[in-house]
Amino acid sequence: MRKPIIAGNWKLNKTPSQTVRLIEEFKPLVREARCEVVVCPTSACLFAAREALKDTNISLGAQNVFYEDSGAYTGEVACDSLLELGVKYVIIGHSERRQYFAETDETVNKKVLKTLEKRLKPIVCVGESLAQKQFGVTEEVVRMQTRLALSGVGVGDVEDITIAYEPIWAIGAGMTASSTEANDTIRQIRRVVAEIYTPEASQKLRIIYGGSMNARNAKELLSTSDIDGGLIGGASLKGDLFAQIVNAV
Ligand code: PGA
Protein backbone atom coordinates (compact mmCIF):
# COMPACT_ATOMS: atom_id res chain seq x y z
CA MET A 1 0.00 0.00 0.00
CA ARG A 2 1.15 3.53 -0.79
CA LYS A 3 1.56 5.76 2.23
CA PRO A 4 -0.17 9.10 1.67
CA ILE A 5 2.00 12.20 1.67
CA ILE A 6 1.16 15.81 2.44
CA ALA A 7 3.84 18.31 1.44
CA GLY A 8 3.84 22.04 2.12
CA ASN A 9 5.34 24.14 -0.65
CA TRP A 10 6.22 27.40 1.05
CA LYS A 11 7.42 29.01 -2.20
CA LEU A 12 9.19 32.35 -1.67
CA ASN A 13 7.75 32.90 1.80
CA LYS A 14 9.29 33.04 5.28
CA THR A 15 12.74 33.99 6.48
CA PRO A 16 14.79 31.48 8.50
CA SER A 17 13.42 32.76 11.82
CA GLN A 18 9.85 32.74 10.50
CA THR A 19 10.42 29.22 9.17
CA VAL A 20 11.41 28.03 12.63
CA ARG A 21 8.39 29.74 14.17
CA LEU A 22 6.02 28.08 11.71
CA ILE A 23 7.54 24.66 12.31
CA GLU A 24 7.34 25.12 16.08
CA GLU A 25 3.70 26.08 15.70
CA PHE A 26 2.52 23.09 13.74
CA LYS A 27 4.81 20.25 14.72
CA PRO A 28 2.85 19.37 17.88
CA LEU A 29 -0.37 19.47 15.82
CA VAL A 30 0.76 16.76 13.38
CA ARG A 31 2.41 14.38 15.82
CA GLU A 32 -0.27 11.75 15.24
CA ALA A 33 -0.22 12.09 11.44
CA ARG A 34 -1.20 8.97 9.52
CA CYS A 35 0.73 10.12 6.46
CA GLU A 36 4.17 11.33 5.54
CA VAL A 37 4.50 15.05 6.27
CA VAL A 38 6.98 17.20 4.35
CA VAL A 39 7.78 20.90 4.42
CA CYS A 40 9.61 22.63 1.59
CA PRO A 41 10.98 26.03 2.62
CA THR A 42 13.24 28.20 0.45
CA SER A 43 16.87 27.09 0.03
CA ALA A 44 18.01 29.84 2.39
CA CYS A 45 15.81 28.41 5.15
CA LEU A 46 16.77 24.74 4.85
CA PHE A 47 19.45 24.83 7.52
CA ALA A 48 17.20 26.51 10.07
CA ALA A 49 14.38 24.14 9.15
CA ARG A 50 16.55 21.08 9.63
CA GLU A 51 17.39 22.13 13.17
CA ALA A 52 13.74 22.80 13.98
CA LEU A 53 12.63 19.46 12.54
CA LYS A 54 15.02 17.33 14.63
CA ASP A 55 13.19 14.50 16.43
CA THR A 56 9.91 15.10 14.63
CA ASN A 57 7.90 13.02 12.16
CA ILE A 58 8.25 15.76 9.54
CA SER A 59 10.64 15.47 6.58
CA LEU A 60 12.44 18.26 4.82
CA GLY A 61 12.03 19.04 1.14
CA ALA A 62 13.58 21.55 -1.26
CA GLN A 63 11.75 23.46 -3.99
CA ASN A 64 14.37 22.98 -6.69
CA VAL A 65 17.79 21.47 -7.40
CA PHE A 66 20.32 21.54 -10.23
CA TYR A 67 21.20 18.53 -12.38
CA GLU A 68 25.00 18.94 -12.25
CA ASP A 69 27.11 18.09 -9.20
CA SER A 70 29.31 21.19 -9.25
CA GLY A 71 30.88 23.73 -11.60
CA ALA A 72 30.28 27.15 -13.10
CA TYR A 73 26.52 27.41 -12.51
CA THR A 74 26.04 30.61 -10.56
CA GLY A 75 23.05 30.57 -8.28
CA GLU A 76 22.27 26.87 -8.45
CA VAL A 77 22.11 24.30 -5.63
CA ALA A 78 23.46 20.74 -5.95
CA CYS A 79 22.00 17.49 -4.65
CA ASP A 80 24.99 16.88 -2.35
CA SER A 81 24.37 20.17 -0.57
CA LEU A 82 20.72 19.31 -0.10
CA LEU A 83 21.65 15.91 1.29
CA GLU A 84 24.03 17.50 3.79
CA LEU A 85 21.21 19.78 4.86
CA GLY A 86 19.04 16.77 5.65
CA VAL A 87 16.76 17.15 2.64
CA LYS A 88 14.82 14.05 1.59
CA TYR A 89 12.38 15.33 -1.05
CA VAL A 90 12.80 17.79 -3.93
CA ILE A 91 9.97 19.45 -5.86
CA ILE A 92 10.87 19.38 -9.55
CA GLY A 93 9.21 21.15 -12.45
CA HIS A 94 6.68 23.22 -10.52
CA SER A 95 4.66 25.30 -12.98
CA GLU A 96 6.07 28.50 -11.47
CA ARG A 97 9.58 27.28 -12.30
CA ARG A 98 8.46 26.38 -15.79
CA GLN A 99 6.82 29.79 -16.21
CA TYR A 100 9.33 32.17 -14.60
CA PHE A 101 12.61 30.26 -14.72
CA ALA A 102 12.50 28.57 -18.12
CA GLU A 103 12.25 25.06 -16.71
CA THR A 104 11.49 22.64 -19.56
CA ASP A 105 10.48 19.00 -19.77
CA GLU A 106 14.11 18.31 -20.65
CA THR A 107 15.59 19.99 -17.56
CA VAL A 108 12.87 18.40 -15.43
CA ASN A 109 13.98 15.00 -16.72
CA LYS A 110 17.67 15.75 -16.03
CA LYS A 111 16.79 16.80 -12.49
CA VAL A 112 14.68 13.70 -11.89
CA LEU A 113 17.54 11.46 -13.02
CA LYS A 114 20.09 13.31 -10.88
CA THR A 115 17.97 13.28 -7.71
CA LEU A 116 17.31 9.54 -8.08
CA GLU A 117 21.02 8.89 -8.62
CA LYS A 118 21.68 10.76 -5.37
CA ARG A 119 18.89 8.96 -3.50
CA LEU A 120 16.77 12.07 -3.08
CA LYS A 121 13.05 11.65 -3.71
CA PRO A 122 11.62 13.81 -6.48
CA ILE A 123 8.12 15.27 -6.35
CA VAL A 124 7.54 15.88 -10.05
CA CYS A 125 4.87 18.43 -10.98
CA VAL A 126 2.70 18.09 -14.07
CA GLY A 127 -0.49 19.87 -15.03
CA GLU A 128 -2.34 21.72 -17.74
CA SER A 129 -2.93 25.44 -18.22
CA LEU A 130 -6.42 26.94 -18.38
CA ALA A 131 -6.19 27.22 -22.18
CA GLN A 132 -5.14 23.58 -22.48
CA LYS A 133 -8.03 22.55 -20.24
CA GLN A 134 -10.44 24.56 -22.39
CA PHE A 135 -9.08 22.92 -25.55
CA GLY A 136 -9.75 19.56 -23.92
CA VAL A 137 -6.13 18.36 -24.06
CA THR A 138 -5.48 17.82 -20.35
CA GLU A 139 -4.85 14.11 -20.83
CA GLU A 140 -2.39 14.67 -23.68
CA VAL A 141 -0.51 17.34 -21.71
CA VAL A 142 -0.05 15.34 -18.51
CA ARG A 143 0.70 12.22 -20.53
CA MET A 144 3.52 13.99 -22.37
CA GLN A 145 4.90 15.68 -19.25
CA THR A 146 4.89 12.39 -17.37
CA ARG A 147 6.57 10.42 -20.16
CA LEU A 148 9.28 13.04 -20.60
CA ALA A 149 9.91 13.45 -16.87
CA LEU A 150 10.37 9.69 -16.45
CA SER A 151 12.48 9.17 -19.55
CA GLY A 152 15.46 6.96 -18.68
CA VAL A 153 14.23 6.21 -15.14
CA GLY A 154 14.66 2.52 -14.28
CA VAL A 155 11.75 0.50 -12.96
CA GLY A 156 13.57 0.04 -9.64
CA ASP A 157 13.45 3.77 -8.97
CA VAL A 158 9.75 4.27 -9.64
CA GLU A 159 8.69 3.82 -6.03
CA ASP A 160 10.91 6.74 -4.96
CA ILE A 161 8.99 9.12 -7.19
CA THR A 162 5.93 11.16 -6.31
CA ILE A 163 4.03 12.86 -9.11
CA ALA A 164 2.04 15.96 -8.21
CA TYR A 165 -0.85 16.68 -10.54
CA GLU A 166 -1.27 20.45 -10.31
CA PRO A 167 -3.66 22.05 -12.79
CA ILE A 168 -2.05 25.45 -13.32
CA TRP A 169 -5.41 27.22 -13.32
CA ALA A 170 -6.07 25.99 -9.79
CA ILE A 171 -2.76 27.07 -8.24
CA GLY A 172 -3.17 29.96 -5.84
CA ALA A 173 -6.53 30.64 -7.45
CA GLY A 174 -8.88 29.56 -4.69
CA MET A 175 -10.36 27.25 -7.31
CA THR A 176 -9.72 23.51 -7.16
CA ALA A 177 -10.32 20.75 -9.64
CA SER A 178 -13.36 18.77 -8.52
CA SER A 179 -12.44 15.59 -6.70
CA THR A 180 -13.76 13.54 -9.64
CA GLU A 181 -11.78 15.60 -12.16
CA ALA A 182 -8.57 15.37 -10.12
CA ASN A 183 -9.05 11.66 -9.45
CA ASP A 184 -9.69 10.92 -13.15
CA THR A 185 -6.57 12.75 -14.31
CA ILE A 186 -4.51 11.08 -11.62
CA ARG A 187 -5.83 7.71 -12.75
CA GLN A 188 -4.73 8.58 -16.30
CA ILE A 189 -1.26 9.49 -15.06
CA ARG A 190 -1.04 6.12 -13.32
CA ARG A 191 -2.10 4.44 -16.56
CA VAL A 192 0.79 6.18 -18.37
CA VAL A 193 3.22 4.93 -15.74
CA ALA A 194 1.80 1.43 -16.18
CA GLU A 195 2.36 1.69 -19.93
CA ILE A 196 5.98 2.77 -19.50
CA TYR A 197 6.74 0.16 -16.84
CA THR A 198 4.24 -2.40 -15.58
CA PRO A 199 0.88 -2.14 -13.81
CA GLU A 200 2.59 -3.39 -10.63
CA ALA A 201 5.27 -0.67 -10.80
CA SER A 202 2.59 1.97 -11.35
CA GLN A 203 0.92 0.92 -8.10
CA LYS A 204 4.08 1.77 -6.15
CA LEU A 205 4.39 5.43 -7.07
CA ARG A 206 2.42 8.08 -5.28
CA ILE A 207 0.39 10.59 -7.25
CA ILE A 208 -0.88 13.59 -5.32
CA TYR A 209 -3.03 16.62 -6.08
CA GLY A 210 -2.05 20.29 -5.77
CA GLY A 211 -3.90 23.51 -6.51
CA SER A 212 -5.79 25.40 -3.81
CA MET A 213 -6.13 22.38 -1.56
CA ASN A 214 -7.15 23.62 1.86
CA ALA A 215 -8.60 22.58 5.21
CA ARG A 216 -12.14 22.70 3.75
CA ASN A 217 -11.72 20.63 0.60
CA ALA A 218 -8.90 18.29 1.67
CA LYS A 219 -11.11 15.55 3.07
CA GLU A 220 -13.13 15.21 -0.12
CA LEU A 221 -10.07 15.22 -2.39
CA LEU A 222 -8.21 12.77 -0.19
CA SER A 223 -11.10 10.34 0.10
CA THR A 224 -11.02 9.54 -3.63
CA SER A 225 -9.60 6.25 -4.87
CA ASP A 226 -6.45 7.47 -6.58
CA ILE A 227 -5.27 10.65 -4.87
CA ASP A 228 -2.37 9.76 -2.58
CA GLY A 229 -1.96 13.12 -0.87
CA GLY A 230 -1.45 16.79 -1.57
CA LEU A 231 1.06 19.47 -2.44
CA ILE A 232 -0.14 22.51 -0.53
CA GLY A 233 0.92 26.10 -1.20
CA GLY A 234 -1.01 28.92 0.46
CA ALA A 235 -2.76 26.77 3.05
CA SER A 236 0.56 25.37 4.31
CA LEU A 237 1.70 28.78 5.52
CA LYS A 238 -0.62 28.72 8.56
CA GLY A 239 0.30 26.03 11.07
CA ASP A 240 -3.23 25.18 12.19
CA LEU A 241 -4.64 25.03 8.65
CA PHE A 242 -1.78 22.90 7.39
CA ALA A 243 -2.24 20.57 10.36
CA GLN A 244 -5.95 20.24 9.56
CA ILE A 245 -5.06 19.07 6.04
CA VAL A 246 -2.49 16.60 7.37
CA ASN A 247 -5.00 15.27 9.88
CA ALA A 248 -7.67 14.91 7.19
CA VAL A 249 -5.72 11.91 5.84
P1 PGA B 1 -1.68 26.51 -3.76
O1 PGA B 1 -0.28 26.07 -4.39
O2 PGA B 1 -2.05 25.47 -2.76
O3 PGA B 1 -1.43 27.85 -3.14
O4 PGA B 1 -2.66 26.56 -4.88
C1 PGA B 1 -0.01 24.74 -4.69
C2 PGA B 1 1.33 24.65 -5.35
O5 PGA B 1 1.66 25.56 -6.13
O6 PGA B 1 2.09 23.70 -5.13
Side-chain angles (χ1 to χ4, degrees), residues 66-245:
F66 195 53
Y67 52 77
E68 295 291 351
D69 292 335
S70 61
Y73 303 104
T74 303
E76 291 297 328
V77 177
C79 286
D80 287 337
S81 297
L82 295 185
L83 286 164
E84 247 181 58
L85 286 167
V87 168
K88 189 169 170 193
Y89 290 91
V90 186
I91 299 171
I92 295 178
H94 190 280
S95 62
E96 286 149 18
R97 295 222 48 93
R98 296 180 193 250
Q99 183 181 352
Y100 304 123
F101 303 98
E103 191 90 88
T104 63
D105 288 321
E106 192 188 344
T107 56
V108 167
N109 176 240
K110 285 184 175 175
K111 291 178 179 192
V112 168
L113 293 172
K114 179 52 78 175
T115 49
L116 290 169
E117 176 199 320
K118 295 287 181 177
R119 312 307 317 159
L120 282 160
K121 293 175 187 283
I123 300 175
V124 187
C125 302
V126 300
E128 82 285 4
S129 67
L130 182 59
Q132 289 164 334
K133 174 183 160 67
Q134 287 165 343
F135 277 117
V137 295
T138 297
E139 183 174 349
E140 285 90 333
V141 171
V142 296
R143 169 175 283 274
M144 185 185 71
Q145 289 175 336
T146 304
R147 287 195 78 95
L148 292 172
L150 298 183
S151 171
V153 173
V155 66
D157 284 331
V158 171
E159 63 188 311
D160 285 334
I161 299 174
T162 300
I163 295 179
Y165 167 55
E166 298 208 307
I168 299 170
W169 49 269
I171 294 176
M175 186 165 61
T176 48
S178 72
S179 55
T180 320
E181 219 172 6
N183 195 56
D184 284 352
T185 306
I186 283 179
R187 197 177 301 140
Q188 280 158 9
I189 296 171
R190 195 174 303 286
R191 212 172 294 140
V192 176
V193 179
E195 282 166 25
I196 307 173
Y197 302 99
T198 59
E200 297 73 50
S202 78
Q203 291 302 321
K204 291 185 182 161
L205 135 161
R206 287 182 290 201
I207 310 181
I208 63 179
Y209 171 80
S212 297
M213 198 191 257
N214 57 40
R216 272 169 285 118
N217 58 33
K219 211 165 237 166
E220 191 187 334
L221 285 159
L222 294 170
S223 63
T224 54
S225 56
D226 282 65
I227 303 180
D228 297 325
L231 182 57
I232 324 294
S236 68
L237 292 168
K238 292 243 160 58
D240 52 341
L241 296 182
F242 187 47
Q244 282 177 40
I245 299 173

